[in-house]
Amino acid sequence: LRSAEDALAELRFTRPDVVILDIHMPGMSGLEAARRIKTRPTPPRVILTTIHADSEYHRAAGAVGADAFIAKSEFGARIGAAVLGNEPD
């Protein structure tokens, strides 16, 4: 999908177990999309990512209800645990 709006529209028709969003997306940010997704009655796990391994992004991801934040530099090593809900706090 090309935007956060596309992801939200797709959720009207599908029920994925996990949604992975970049924080920086065209139009709506991944943070706002995550916040909206997590307000659904039975939301999927939401994992946010971006190129920057910044503690502020980690805090912001938690504040919107994301299940995990993974910097792209760590993505390969950590995505499996995050999808399964085994990410350390």
Side-chain angles (χ1 to χ4, degrees):
L1 304 173
R2 297 180 59 92
S3 69
E5 289 89 349
D6 288 349
L8 293 173
E10 185 69 21
L11 288 175
R12 286 186 249 149
F13 307 106
T14 62
R15 292 182 181 235
D17 294 323
V18 177
V19 174
I20 301 171
L21 298 165
D22 195 302
I23 286 178
H24 300 287
M25 300 178 76
M28 179 189 314
S29 75
L31 290 166
E32 177 60 19
R35 185 192 66 74
R36 291 183 187 192
I37 291 167
K38 295 309 274 188
T39 63
R40 300 173 70 83
T42 54
R45 293 187 57 72
V46 175
I47 300 169
L48 287 168
T49 188
T50 194
I51 193 79
H52 307 288
D54 186 306
S55 62
E56 183 62 26
Y57 286 127
H58 190 274
R59 185 205 60 74
V64 298
D67 297 289
F69 167 78
I70 303 173
K72 287 183 180 178
S73 61
E74 303 171 318
F75 199 83
R78 295 183 48 206
I79 189 61
V83 166
L84 296 173
N86 297 328
E87 269 292 286
D89 291 333

